Amino acid sequence: MAAVGPEPPRVGFVGAGRMAEAIAQGLVRAGKVDAQRVLASAPTDKNLCRFRVLGCQTTHSNQEVLQSCSLVIFATKPHVLPAVLEEVAPLVTAEHIIVSVAAGVPLSTLEELLPSGGGHGDGAGQPRWEQFRLNLLEACGQCEEVPEAYMDIHTGLSGSGVAFVCAFLEALADGAVKMGMPSGLAHRIAAQTLLGTAKMLLQRGQHPAQLRTDVCTPGGTTIYGLHAMEQGGLRAAAMSAVEAGPPPSQGRGGGGGPLP
């Protein structure tokens, strides 16, 4: 792949759903990539309209994305990805960096369906491209490099975890509503409580158990509340939810990342 000059490579999205939109927003709003240098493809205009609002280019042709972009992010639904890879495989060259965010699709599937010749995997593994890729993805949030075996676990913990946290937040607020607090106020306070707690844990590098202990006064209200949560099986329910999150039909390998 040619060296990055003053202008970064074009970034392409094959698939234009919520995940692709979130990544595109992060890249564009952080100034990592100019919106005009982002091209997204989807079969219909249903999702592409949101990319146009961002100022991105759109197309109905997956092949056009491969022909126009150096960094290509596959963001289709997992069961659709194999057919899409077969469609675009003839266009994949050593010039491409391939990234997949399709949950549960292992890298072995990408390697099987995309051409092994041309050394595109070698290029993605070079330090300068590794740093380039991380620099882009960090615009969307915290970026952690992990073994592929952790990717499906990450899906259950972080991807599905958004819904789990919202369910917990709603339950906290409902408890306050039951006690007489207006719903809107209860939800705002619950959200701020979760936000403040998360910030403290990240800033201090503490284990959650330590912060939990710090706010538990002997004989106080918090320990009584924790006892009630334990009686309700909160921990077991949360652990089971994360375990159920990964898509077992796709296997245990993760799909997020460049070809090795």
Side-chain angles (χ1 to χ4, degrees):
M1 186 173 181
V4 179
E7 202 168 34
R10 294 194 70 186
V11 177
F13 290 88
V14 177
R18 294 294 186 183
M19 182 71 76
E21 180 191 2
I23 296 173
Q25 283 184 345
L27 297 179
V28 171
R29 291 176 178 174
K32 301 289 185 179
V33 179
D34 186 88
Q36 288 294 313
R37 297 188 65 77
V38 175
L39 175 65
S41 65
T44 69
D45 286 339
K46 179 181 177 182
N47 294 328
L48 292 177
C49 59
R50 294 197 292 266
F51 277 79
R52 295 188 190 118
V53 170
L54 282 174
C56 302
Q57 303 295 309
T58 63
T59 178
H60 295 304
S61 170
N62 296 331
Q63 295 182 348
E64 183 179 347
V65 174
L66 272 292
Q67 292 169 333
S68 305
C69 303
S70 302
L71 174 62
V72 180
I73 300 172
F74 286 90
T76 67
K77 293 187 181 300
H79 71 277
V80 173
L81 184 59
V84 171
L85 293 176
E86 290 181 349
E87 174 196 350
V88 302
L91 299 172
V92 176
T93 72
E95 301 296 313
H96 290 102
I97 296 177
I98 303 297
V99 176
S100 169
V101 295
V105 180
L107 292 180
S108 59
T109 298
L110 275 69
E111 293 171 332
E112 177 184 348
L113 296 177
L114 294 177
S116 57
H120 54 273
D122 296 336
Q126 292 177 5
R128 65 192 180 104
W129 293 121
E130 182 75 10
Q131 186 57 47
F132 169 69
R133 180 173 53 84
L134 290 175
N135 184 47
L136 285 181
L137 295 179
E138 283 174 348
C140 306
Q142 182 174 330
C143 189
E144 298 277 357
E145 185 172 359
V146 299
E148 184 181 2
Y150 292 178
M151 291 304 297
D152 278 355
I153 303 172
H154 185 281
T155 299
L157 177 61
S158 179
S160 302
V162 173
F164 305 156
V165 171
C166 285
F168 176 66
L169 188 154
E170 186 179 13
L172 282 180
D174 283 348
V177 172
K178 182 181 179 181
M179 298 295 292
M181 182 178 287
S183 178
L185 177 60
H187 281 87
R188 289 196 300 274
I189 293 175
Q192 187 63 42
T193 300
L194 265 63
L195 176 63
T197 302
K199 282 187 173 181
M200 282 194 290
L201 290 174
L202 290 173
Q203 290 170 357
R204 298 178 184 179
Q206 280 185 311
H207 190 284
Q210 181 60 57
L211 182 56
R212 184 195 68 209
T213 300
D214 291 346
V215 299
C216 281
T217 303
T221 58
T222 304
I223 193 63
Y224 276 89
L226 285 171
H227 186 203
M229 290 171 65
E230 292 290 349
Q231 288 178 317
L234 175 71
R235 287 172 180 267
M239 292 170 67
S240 295
V242 172
E243 187 178 11
S249 63
Q250 296 292 336
R252 288 293 167 187
L259 294 178

